[in-house]
Amino acid sequence: QVIDVLRRIRQTHRLETVVLHGDTCASMCVPIFLQGQTRVAARSSLWLFHDVVKSLNATGSKVRVDAMATGRLIRRYFTRAGVSAAWLKKMLRHIKGGKNYWQTGQELIGSASGIITNALDNTTARPEVRPAPRARPRRSTRGSLLARCLNGVLDQCVFAGLAWPCYRRCAT
C-alpha cells in the first residue's frame, strides 16, 4: 500500500528518498526506497537483502523461501527502478537458500547497482555554535601570586574547576 501511495505522489510531485549516515534500509524498505526518482543514501548506510519467505504457521517460527515471489518482487520493483541486472544476479546468488545479504551504501555505489542514484557524503556540516562568553575572574589589586596566575593558565583551569593544580603550576 505504501508503494502505491508513493507512485501516486510521483504522478504530481518529484519524489526523493533518503537513507542517512549509519541508517539501515532492510527488507521491504529497499523497494520503498526504489520509488524515489532521486535516491540519496550515505556511503555509511547499511542495506539488507533476502528472499521472500512465507510463514507456515501462526507464530512464524516455521518459514519457507518463496523463490517465485522473490522473482516477482525483483521484476516489479528492482528492475522497473533501473537496478543493474548484473548486480541483481550477484545478489540472488548471495540470498539463495534463505541467507541474508548485507551491503553498505559504499558497496552499492561502488558496484554500480543502480539502487543509489546520489551519494550522500559521510560528513555533515554542523551549524556554527559560538561559545557563550565566560566571565573573567576578578584580579586582585594586592599583587599576590594567585592574581598573577589568573592572567595565565589559572583562569582557564578555574573555569574547568581545576584551580589547585594550575595554581601549583603557576607558582613553580
Side-chain angles (χ1 to χ4, degrees), residues 121-132:
D121 287 336
N122 280 337
T123 58
T124 303
R126 293 184 181 185
E128 184 179 336
V129 178
R130 295 179 185 248

Side-chain angles (χ1 to χ4, degrees), residues 59-144:
T59 63
S61 61
K62 289 192 173 205
V63 296
R64 75 173 168 80
V65 171
D66 188 338
M68 299 279 284
T70 299
R72 285 191 303 272
L73 183 116
I74 296 291
R75 285 186 300 280
R76 186 172 183 190
Y77 302 117
F78 289 74
T79 305
R80 283 185 186 174
V83 175
S84 159
W87 185 87
L88 285 170
K89 186 176 178 181
K90 175 183 165 186
M91 184 266 297
L92 287 168
R93 280 195 317 268
H94 283 283
I95 66 172
K96 189 173 186 170
K99 296 178 189 157
N100 291 335
Y101 183 50
W102 287 93
Q103 292 270 275
T104 64
Q106 178 63 47
E107 291 168 324
L108 292 173
I109 294 163
S111 64
S113 67
I115 291 174
I116 298 169
T117 60
N118 296 68
L120 185 63
D121 287 336
N122 280 337
T123 58
T124 303
R126 293 184 181 185
E128 184 179 336
V129 178
R130 295 179 185 248
R134 66 176 191 184
R136 286 242 176 230
R138 292 180 115 186
R139 296 172 115 183
S140 169
T141 56
R142 293 187 316 221
S144 69

